[in-house]
Amino acid sequence: MAIPVTAQTTAPAKAPAPVSAEAPAPAAAGVLVSGAGLAKPVRVTDAQLAKLPRLQATRAGHDGTPRTYSGVDLYAVLLAAGADLAPAQLPGKGMAHYVQVGAADGYQAVFALAELSPDFAPSPVLLADRCDGQPLPAAAGPYQIIVPADKKMGRCVRQVQTLRIAAAPRP
């Protein structure tokens, strides 16, 4: 059973610093964000992620054991990358947009942009870097998507490397 996501008391009060738009090296730290709403791909670095407000959520891990994950709101990561996610687009043309999460091993999961928006979603999706107070193990980290409301871990992507924003094609 998922436990509501809560903000930790150590959340910074100010907005994150602008993000670098340099071309990333393949094994660079951080997460590469690309696609709709961005002029070019942007790597959100570990240091920039550390400046975002921290959240935590408790849910069963892949082994079924309850775990407490901590990290940042995935929607906030997209905003920190400079993605144009104007609230005026949801509802509207933004309702057909999605975020494709890519892992080091090629595993992928998709989230409708509305699922990530605080205007629509009942709880945030986390880009976690810690589990039970410890850094994620190499098999899961350095970043893992945590979806507190999902019954199964299928969209809890391990070893996250990329986030791609795209629009669904018209039927």
Side-chain angles (χ1 to χ4, degrees), residues 37-77:
L38 290 165
K40 59 183 174 178
V42 174
R43 182 160 301 278
V44 180
T45 67
D46 294 343
Q48 291 157 330
L49 290 169
K51 293 177 184 175
L52 296 174
R54 302 283 299 174
L55 303 171
Q56 73 178 39
T58 300
R59 69 154 297 139
H62 284 282
D63 63 359
T65 304
R67 304 269 184 213
T68 300
Y69 295 91
S70 61
V72 297
D73 183 345
L74 184 56
Y75 194 79
V77 174

Side-chain angles (χ1 to χ4, degrees), residues 8-111:
Q8 294 179 341
T9 58
T10 59
K14 59 184 182 176
V19 176
S20 165
E22 298 173 3
V31 178
L32 181 65
V33 183
S34 64
L38 290 165
K40 59 183 174 178
V42 174
R43 182 160 301 278
V44 180
T45 67
D46 294 343
Q48 291 157 330
L49 290 169
K51 293 177 184 175
L52 296 174
R54 302 283 299 174
L55 303 171
Q56 73 178 39
T58 300
R59 69 154 297 139
H62 284 282
D63 63 359
T65 304
R67 304 269 184 213
T68 300
Y69 295 91
S70 61
V72 297
D73 183 345
L74 184 56
Y75 194 79
V77 174
L78 300 175
L79 292 174
D84 180 13
L85 305 176
Q89 294 196 23
L90 292 174
K93 65 181 182 175
M95 294 302 287
H97 282 71
Y98 61 91
V99 176
Q100 180 180 14
V101 179
D105 65 359
Y107 191 85
Q108 299 177 30
V110 174
F111 296 88

